[in-house]
Amino acid sequence: MADDLSTTIAEAARLLAGARDVTLLSHINPDADTLGSALAVGLALHRRGVAVRVAFGEPSTVPESLKALDTAGLLVHRDEVPAAPEFLVVMDTGSLQRLGPLADRVAACTGPVIVIDHHVSNTRYGTLHCIDEHAEATALIALKLLDEMDVDLDEPIARCIYAGLVTDTGGFRKAGPAAHVTAARLLETGVDAYSVTRPLMDAHPFAYLGMLSRVLARAELDARAAHGLGLVHAVVGMDDARDVRSEEVESVIDVVRSASEAEVAAVLKELRPGFWSVSLRAVSRVDVREVAQVLGGGGHRLAAGFTFDGSADQVVAALKGALEQVES
């Protein structure tokens, strides 16, 4: 895998060296890993005189907690993405479906489509794939690309990489030794770990507390699910999410997963009436990527997701059925 990644990273750097107009795409409901990776590479290209834009399909506005990463104003609304881009770089996105309204730009692209990702379930929909499922974050692969491009790693670029690394490792709780060494390298550029981390992981508007109290009051635990290992789930309806940002809704899973009686945690998020995005987490014994794949989704072994049309009860029933199909 390492040799294959080195080869594709080198080829990606070669292609980008000749690029004059590059669009970098992040997945829908972007987190710090997908957007930080895109902005880091985008900023490096922008400084070289390349026309750069960074975008994502949904929601229509940039999450408040991620705005500070865009120091050069590279983020654009999805409607500003060319219908037929000259060059695409897609970050942290395992399938076309995860691009939402911008998925059609891949087939319409007139030049290379570089996919940079760490999801083992990536469907290889580009023309060049820089994929390492062992990387704790896509940001680490983006950093390899920046190094191959001989980019000077300064604080604004390092901040974007650090944001992706710290969030995708759960505050370094899931980080190996190499990731910690990389974090030290990033901090040496002047990155302030606290100022980067607090808005991403530790700060919420007051309305979040009300939303969280309503959602958690309805949470349910089924100790018999997942072959007796237990499932805890919560539902965030459109009414619950009306007064909070998308990142507040995304963070509910981190609270629900703390129930010690359940191996698997799920949060159902209603995106529009009868259409749900479901986040899955496991402690150690259940491969929720396989569970998500049964339901048309994907992800990592201990963190995955899928979308579903139907009622909340139908989602939960389908999830429990998928859990029974996957060996623990």
Side-chain angles (χ1 to χ4, degrees), residues 230-260:
L231 166 70
V232 60
H233 82 271
V235 178
V236 184
M238 292 180 66
D239 287 342
D240 298 311
R242 180 163 288 123
D243 297 324
V244 297
R245 308 172 305 188
S246 61
E247 53 259 55
E248 267 66 64
V249 177
E250 293 300 317
S251 71
V252 172
I253 187 66
D254 295 319
V255 181
V256 174
R257 69 188 300 187
S258 65
S260 60

Side-chain angles (χ1 to χ4, degrees), residues 155-198:
E155 192 276 338
I157 292 177
R159 189 192 323 162
C160 293
I161 299 295
Y162 187 85
L165 180 57
V166 70
T167 53
D168 251 38
T169 58
F172 295 102
R173 290 189 292 272
K174 298 179 289 184
H180 283 277
V181 172
T182 298
R185 177 189 173 194
L186 298 170
L187 293 174
E188 286 171 354
T189 68
V191 170
D192 184 330
Y194 183 76
S195 67
V196 172
T197 306
R198 177 167 168 75

